[in-house]
Amino acid sequence: MLKIYNSLARQKQEFTPIEPGKVRMYVCGLTVYDYFHIGNARTLTVFDMVYRWLTTIGYDVSYVRNITDVDDKIIDRANKNGEPIDALTERMIAAMHEDTSRLGMKLPSHEPRATQHIDGMLSMIGQLVDKGMAYPADNGDVYYAVREFAGYGKLSGKSIDDLRAGERVAVNTAKRDPLDFVLWKAAKPHEPHWSSPWGNGRPGWHIECSAMCKAQHGDTLDIHGGGWDLQFPHHEGEIAQSEGASGKPFVNYWMHAAFLNMDNEKMSKSLGNVFTTREVLNKLDPVQGGETVRYFLLRGHYRSEINYTWDILQDARASLLSLYTALRDVPPEVPPEDFMIDWNEPHAARFREVMCDDFNTSMAFAVLHELRAEVNRTRSTQLSALLRALGSTIGLLTQEPGRFVQGGAASDDDAARIEALIQQRIEAKKTRNFAESDRIRDELKARGIVLEDGAGGTTWRRA
């Protein structure tokens, strides 16, 4: 039985989908004005893992991850760049797909864009206005009346009175209450806009996700996910809008991924410690880098904060490399696509148990390393195949082991030269020319090539 920590209930709960065997999952995606940062990468990778695991245990998953392609940041960046908004968003969406692919992410089932769902947003805003839960203001904006929704604050645990007491937002005289939030923004000169019953304008942030959720999944979802920082105000706003319009529960299970800190400090542009995922990937080995980052992002439980430093990332690489080395030294005889996991096998049963306990990847990784030790001890190709298969359920150990261990973007000619030097060294050792053997080893070492002599012969990898 799968258990999920429900942020709304503040406890783990057994997962029961609305429709047996099927899961409706929505995750807040990216605002595409720039390359996404490594903190975004954690959230995206976590829910890719969730998607994969739900599929592994037999669910038919409709996974929706939206794209916000109209927003103040997008407009400001396009103006700064001197390029059309569509050109910026298309370029950033293409870059997003490149970088998520490098991290081993599957495409979601659906990837709706905000600008494709304006009609749905206008329909929902109209419902809220008709119910007296939203109102057009004199400045042309339409606002949600927070006090008209009795459940406001139930996800974040914030009460309206406490929010008012700590209110620091500049007074907007168009609002009836400082806590009210915008559903529709009146058009400004030289900004994208759409026609509406309240005048030309564009949507507010929260209404986008409510409308896209409804379009893809109906009034009620099984799982809604995102980063921890989205609980308030974004997800709180989504609940108020969706439940206010439909009168039905919006989400049965809320999931939130914790922060990624940079060298023990929260990421902040003012501190200069925000790195894009692309920057991090480009500093790493081109073969090993994407999966190394994925391994690092999943090694801690998704509800626990993790810390990023270069040394921690290199430690993750070494840990992942040990798994691949076992697969290289004891190659599975069965192709990955033909191997069927026996979930009664002790390692597999333990892996499934911890993954079904709120997606506990931290304990799942421990199982993988226990299995690696058994592969190294027994030389069992069956256990080797199981190791690779279990890793693949969460998007790991999917590459050819020998190629991964060697790493690098070397050409076939370069690899052939390395193999030729290794063969020369073998011949030198046969003739007891140890000085030449050592010279070749040192030459390769200077080029960043580490030789490993074993019972099966000499293999190589990049330092």
Side-chain angles (χ1 to χ4, degrees):
M1 176 64 71
L2 175 65
K3 291 185 177 180
I4 296 176
Y5 183 89
N6 186 351
S7 301
L8 182 62
R10 295 170 178 76
Q11 62 180 351
K12 288 183 192 177
Q13 296 178 326
E14 290 186 357
F15 178 67
T16 304
I18 299 165
E19 187 176 353
K22 297 186 177 182
V23 176
R24 306 171 194 175
M25 183 168 78
Y26 183 98
V27 173
C28 290
L30 300 173
T31 301
V32 286
Y33 71 100
D34 201 349
Y35 300 113
F36 66 91
H37 59 69
I38 193 69
N40 298 140
R42 196 208 184 177
T43 300
L44 296 178
T45 304
V46 161
F47 287 102
D48 178 78
M49 172 273 294
V50 170
Y51 177 32
R52 287 172 177 272
W53 184 250
L54 290 171
T55 303
T56 294
I57 59 177
Y59 287 108
D60 177 11
V61 184
S62 176
Y63 173 28
V64 179
R65 188 184 68 207
N66 77 294
I67 294 173
T68 296
D69 60 346
V70 59
D71 170 88
D72 290 341
K73 292 179 180 178
I74 293 172
I75 295 168
D76 291 345
R77 181 61 58 87
N79 289 338
K80 181 179 179 181
N81 293 350
E83 65 179 320
I85 288 172
D86 289 349
L88 171 64
T89 57
E90 288 299 331
R91 184 161 54 84
M92 288 297 103
I93 290 170
M96 175 191 72
H97 286 148
E98 290 172 7
D99 293 344
T100 54
S101 177
R102 292 169 75 181
L103 291 172
M105 293 187 209
K106 298 174 69 174
L107 286 171
S109 312
H110 307 281
E111 200 172 49
R113 303 184 187 188
T115 55
Q116 298 169 342
H117 290 268
I118 300 296
D119 288 346
M121 298 176 206
L122 293 175
S123 175
M124 186 172 287
I125 294 170
Q127 287 179 284
L128 293 169
V129 170
D130 290 344
K131 290 186 172 185
M133 305 187 81
Y135 56 93
D138 294 338
N139 64 355
D141 292 348
V142 180
Y143 293 99
Y144 189 96
V146 165
R147 289 190 180 275
E148 297 299 323
F149 182 68
Y152 194 78
K154 63 183 178 181
L155 176 65
S156 59
K158 300 177 183 292
S159 74
I160 290 179
D161 290 337
D162 288 343
L163 289 168
R164 282 301 306 271
E167 181 63 49
R168 293 186 297 173
V169 178
V171 174
N172 181 342
T173 56
K175 294 182 180 183
R176 295 176 185 171
D177 187 301
L179 295 180
D180 294 348
F181 58 84
V182 68
L183 299 173
W184 188 255
K185 297 181 177 183
K188 295 179 181 178
H190 311 299
E191 287 189 353
H193 60 267
W194 291 261
S195 61
S196 83
W198 313 283
N200 291 341
R202 58 186 173 91
W205 177 30
H206 309 321
I207 196 66
E208 295 178 6
C209 286
S210 284
M212 286 185 274
C213 284
K214 182 175 177 61
Q216 299 292 338
H217 289 320
D219 292 324
T220 306
L221 288 66
D222 291 298
I223 298 172
H224 193 318
W228 188 257
D229 55 326
L230 294 185
Q231 286 188 90
F232 185 87
H234 185 51
H235 290 164
E236 204 72 76
E238 283 188 62
I239 292 172
Q241 295 162 163
S242 297
E243 295 189 1
S246 72
K248 300 175 183 177
F250 176 40
V251 174
N252 288 339
Y253 301 86
W254 283 93
M255 293 181 64
H256 293 95
F259 294 128
L260 180 147
N261 296 321
M262 306 294 289
D263 203 9
N264 292 310
E265 291 186 294
K266 184 179 178 181
M267 284 193 299
S268 167
K269 289 184 179 180
S270 63
L271 295 173
N273 64 354
V274 176
F275 298 102
T276 69
T277 304
R278 180 163 290 203
E279 286 177 307
V280 174
L281 288 171
N282 287 345
K283 291 180 180 179
L284 294 166
D285 181 279
V287 172
Q288 301 171 351
E291 197 165 332
T292 293
V293 174
R294 183 182 183 90
Y295 185 94
F296 158 71
L297 293 171
L298 293 179
R299 186 160 61 168
H301 190 277
Y302 78 90
R303 287 191 289 112
S304 298
E305 292 187 9
I306 59 174
N307 191 41
Y308 171 89
T309 67
W310 186 252
D311 288 343
I312 292 173
L313 192 59
Q314 291 304 311
D315 179 72
R317 173 186 173 274
S319 185
L320 177 61
L321 192 61
S322 72
L323 297 173
Y324 266 111
T325 301
L327 295 176
R328 181 201 63 185
D329 293 345
V330 187
E333 293 181 354
V334 181
E337 61 273 15
D338 295 336
F339 185 81
M340 298 293 292
I341 297 174
D342 175 8
W343 292 108
N344 292 315
E345 194 279 337
H347 294 95
R350 177 63 177 153
F351 188 92
R352 183 181 181 118
E353 177 188 359
V354 297
M355 283 299 297
C356 285
D357 183 12
D358 194 32
F359 309 97
N360 194 337
T361 52
S362 179
M363 293 302 299
F365 278 31
V367 175
L368 293 180
H369 283 282
E370 290 170 7
L371 188 51
R372 169 189 57 80
E374 282 297 293
V375 169
N376 289 334
R377 184 181 67 82
T378 65
R379 319 300 289 179
S380 167
T381 57
Q382 186 72 12
L383 290 181
S384 178
L386 177 62
L387 172 60
R388 182 169 58 180
L390 291 177
S392 71
T393 65
I394 52 176
L396 297 171
L397 307 181
T398 60
Q399 300 188 57
E400 196 283 312
R403 182 74 182 94
F404 184 90
V405 171
Q406 290 176 359
S411 65
D412 291 340
D413 288 343
D414 189 31
R417 285 194 292 271
I418 294 170
E419 294 289 353
L421 284 170
I422 290 174
Q423 190 59 42
Q424 291 175 29
R425 177 173 174 268
I426 291 171
E427 295 301 322
K429 290 176 71 175
K430 285 182 180 178
T431 60
R432 304 183 67 79
N433 187 350
F434 298 118
E436 176 66 4
S437 170
D438 291 344
R439 185 197 68 77
I440 293 172
R441 175 185 282 276
D442 291 343
E443 177 185 339
L444 289 170
K445 183 178 180 180
R447 293 169 56 181
I449 305 301
V450 177
L451 301 184
E452 296 175 333
D453 296 319
T458 300
T459 57
W460 62 275
R461 63 177 174 82
R462 297 183 188 276

